[in-house]
Amino acid sequence: MSDKSLFQTPLSRRQLLKGMAAVGVAAVASNALAACAPAGAPAPAGAPGPAGTSPLAGTVGDEMRGKTLELSLAVIAGWPPSQLPVEMFPKFAEMAKEKYGYTVTVRKTEAPFAALFQKVAPTLASRSQEFNLIVSDSQWLGALAEPGWIVKADDVYALNPELDIEPFSSLVVETYQVYPDGSGQRWGFPQMPDTQGLFVRKDLLEDPAEQAAFEARYGRKLPTTYEELEPLTVQEWEPIFEFFTRPEQDFYGTAAQYSKEYDFFSCAYHPYVYATGGDIWDKTTGNVVGVLNTDANAAQLEYFVSLQKYQPPGSPDFGIGEMIDLFTQGKVFSAFNWLAVGLFMIPPELEGKVLAVPHPKFIFPDGERKVIGAMGGQPWVINAFNDDDHMRVCIDFLKWWYQDDTQEEFVQKGGLPWSKKGVNAPGFEDLKPYTRAFKYMLEEGRSRDFWHLPEYAELLAIQQEAYSAYASGQVTDPKRVLDYIAGRQQALLFEKGRTQTPPPDELRNLTLM
Amino acid sequence: MSTINIAQQGEQAIARSRRSPLRAFEESRFFPLALLLPILFFFVALNVIPTIWMIGMSFYSYSLMSPAPPSFIAIDNYVKIYNDADLWSAFSRTFVFVVLAVGIETVLGVLLGFLFWGSSNMPGRRLALTLLFVPMVVTPVASGLFWRLIYEPTFGVANYFVQLLTGSKIDFLTNVNWAFGAVLFVDIWMWTPFMILMTLAALGSVPKAELEAAEVDRLSIWQRLWHVIWPHGKFILMLGVLLRTIDAYKTTDLVFLMTNGGPGNVTELIGLKLYRYAFASLNIGFSSALAVILLLIAISFTSIYLWVLNLRRYREGA
């Protein structure tokens, strides 16, 4: 390196002019380059046409015979329901060879919840068919549909009425299919629904010594059966959590999700918001201020976080994985988790010792004892940029996926059904220790999904950070946390034109400090 | 001049007249440029053009999640950054992280570097050095993951010892009072070896003759440091500090894996913020503007170091 530094040699006038010219050229060039960026909504491939001609009808004749291709699936890593289609794919390939005459293999790409969208979105933005069929999260529907990246499910249903299966409840349609909310336009195909529940150690509840100790301490009987546990409110569960909290034995009453990761805290807290009779935003006006940041919601936030006292250390970092680890390792009596991971919450050594009940209830402002949980689960979405052959294979795959015997095998392997026929199938409630609770929570009005907007990632990041700040004690005032979220989300939604109301000035510059 | 010399000169002249075009090209002034061309191509294609593109994008409103084409909004993205209190708090957190991480790593690195420099006959020195450099060669992703497990409050090794000593556990990564320090500690564990390496390189650049002369002249240790070692070793050491500063300033992977910026925003460094805007929100225009600002800050770090490094010489020259 030269001994002369930039600062030792004064700039000559010529050098200064050269430098300024270079900056000018860079600015002009950069603007020109930026303007060359891809623009505009793409025209989706495979526009619907008369049945038999459009690839959205799937394979209807010999048009695919003799062909060999690979179907690329993007699925959620570490999420068992997402893996089952890949595991079961050889049966589809066999059927496709036999029925349609083509050879198909599968390529799986996976990423965790938060990362999968980041993996998929840039490929779709560049109109790539890197991923032909995608397991999306329900909140991504708007982000995928609005730019025209995915095929409209209604177009597929028009050509394949057999795919338009009657759902168990409107929750399925509202959560996994419709965008914009309330529009009735369907974009997703239900892959697997999911609802919230509480996994409890039945063997401990049934232990006579525990029952006697509980009765001696609280003056009432320890509930033991599904029927006794299902109506309990969170407040009624609290003494049970407290009873089983024994830090000296490294054993705790419960575990819930307070993690900043993805939507973990949000989904765990939202039932407490719904219990006030309120919501996290107003779908019709797009407003958050005045809806989320109410005193009632602040009190619920305080209460939800206060339940950490019955939980093992490190609860501000608990997510789905921690629920499974803590419960299966015998560190907790109960754990709030998605019922879709029931199979993993009950390893062979816990078989017969676990009971899953619906999310605990609340006393609503009208005095009614009920619950509105958060909806989980995922839809399939089809890449709009698939070529005709891949589009046909996607449709063929979905036709196979929704067949009764395929769905039956899916459920047997730990998947959950969403159709009226599947959920109401005889024996379904007793199939697994968690299927009864799942069916209960999928009933009309018992669960609710939130935003399907393209801005979901930004909205989620704002509230996850703020909730995490409160769960960990960085911020101690729950109302301030909700004010912060409301102000920021309102500003974002206002900027994107989703609401006509700007955030009030006093909420604009709130920080978490 | 002897007959042999004349003959040799004659042969050389003949050889010159018979040289190949390749040889002629090698000797031409274009040859060095040709050697540089491949790297220049990659530099321009992978560095200059994307940077110019990024600068351009920073003046546009453009989101990958919107069907709308990029629209020119002048400096609106920069104004938004200026008005965003959360971003400024992330900047200040990052600044504290950089100062503490680089400061502690430099002090520890220099001390340990001197220790190893002065113990060339110590048995097992090579093994100790090799072991010491292991954290530096482990990828931050792996380091982040296993430190996350070490800190884990239920079954982590760190908490096993903490409980033995204090009778209670510490939520290293979820307690607001511990999380920042816990991440900082891992960065120091990872990168102090780099500063040891730079210190050893700096000390190796001091001429032995000057050290011997200092010993003969009976200079004190401080005089030797200031008049003999520092003038020779400062460039390498400052280069180490500069590289670490830029690297610490960019820290993203480590915090992403260990805390995801939490609890709350206690460990939310600016690199992680940029990552979220660019790859979670896919807000290309805004994240480009933020990236331009980060780039300018990195350049200013470099400039400040270069300026400090040459300050003395500048004064002497003035």
Side-chain angles (χ1 to χ4, degrees), chain A residues 35 57 168 178 187 293 297 354 389 432 463 474 490:
Chain A
F168 176 69
V178 170
W187 295 86
N293 56 334
N297 285 346
V354 176
D389 286 353
K432 309 272 181 197
Q463 66 180 45
Q474 186 189 2
Q490 184 85 22

Side-chain angles (χ1 to χ4, degrees), chain A residues 259-474:
Chain A
S259 171
K260 185 182 177 184
E261 179 74 20
Y262 196 51
D263 61 4
F264 293 168
F265 189 110
S266 298
C267 286
Y269 167 58
H270 285 173
Y272 294 77
V273 173
Y274 304 148
T276 65
D279 208 331
I280 61 165
W281 77 308
D282 184 333
K283 265 187 221 189
T284 48
T285 62
N287 286 337
V288 183
V289 172
V291 181
L292 177 73
N293 56 334
T294 61
D295 289 337
N297 285 346
Q300 289 290 71
L301 178 60
E302 189 175 7
Y303 177 70
F304 171 59
V305 169
S306 78
L307 294 176
Q308 286 183 114
K309 58 180 175 276
Y310 308 121
Q311 303 185 29
S315 52
D317 204 24
F318 286 173
I320 297 171
E322 284 76 13
M323 295 301 101
I324 297 173
D325 290 344
L326 291 165
F327 192 74
T328 56
Q329 288 172 16
K331 299 276 183 192
V332 290
F333 155 75
S334 65
F336 288 80
N337 210 353
W338 295 105
L339 294 162
V341 290
L343 213 56
F344 294 83
M345 292 290 281
I346 313 169
E349 58 271 25
L350 285 182
E351 262 175 34
K353 298 178 179 176
V354 176
L355 182 66
V357 292
H359 189 289
K361 292 190 163 48
F362 301 89
I363 303 296
F364 274 59
D366 59 5
E368 197 180 349
R369 174 188 287 257
K370 63 178 183 179
V371 60
I372 301 175
M375 277 295 279
Q378 298 80 36
W380 292 107
V381 291
I382 304 174
N383 185 340
F385 308 107
N386 285 336
D387 59 38
D388 287 357
D389 286 353
H390 282 93
M391 196 64 88
R392 284 199 167 88
V393 176
C394 284
I395 306 298
D396 293 346
F397 177 82
L398 289 180
K399 285 179 181 172
W400 168 80
W401 179 253
Y402 290 128
Q403 282 175 7
D404 288 349
D405 52 347
T406 311
Q407 283 293 296
E408 207 171 294
E409 185 186 343
F410 175 61
V411 173
Q412 287 296 335
K413 285 176 182 284
L416 291 167
W418 57 271
S419 66
K420 192 167 221 163
K421 190 177 178 184
V423 181
N424 284 333
F428 174 70
E429 285 189 46
D430 302 320
L431 188 66
K432 309 272 181 197
Y434 49 86
T435 44
R436 188 174 176 186
F438 162 76
K439 184 178 177 181
Y440 180 93
M441 293 297 288
L442 199 62
E443 300 268 2
E444 290 295 346
R446 288 191 177 148
S447 294
R448 189 184 293 174
D449 202 21
F450 58 105
W451 331 300
H452 297 128
L453 300 173
E455 295 81 26
Y456 92 96
E458 287 165 276
L459 294 166
L460 192 61
I462 291 166
Q463 66 180 45
Q464 283 293 113
E465 184 170 304
Y467 288 144
S468 164
Y470 183 66
S472 60
Q474 186 189 2

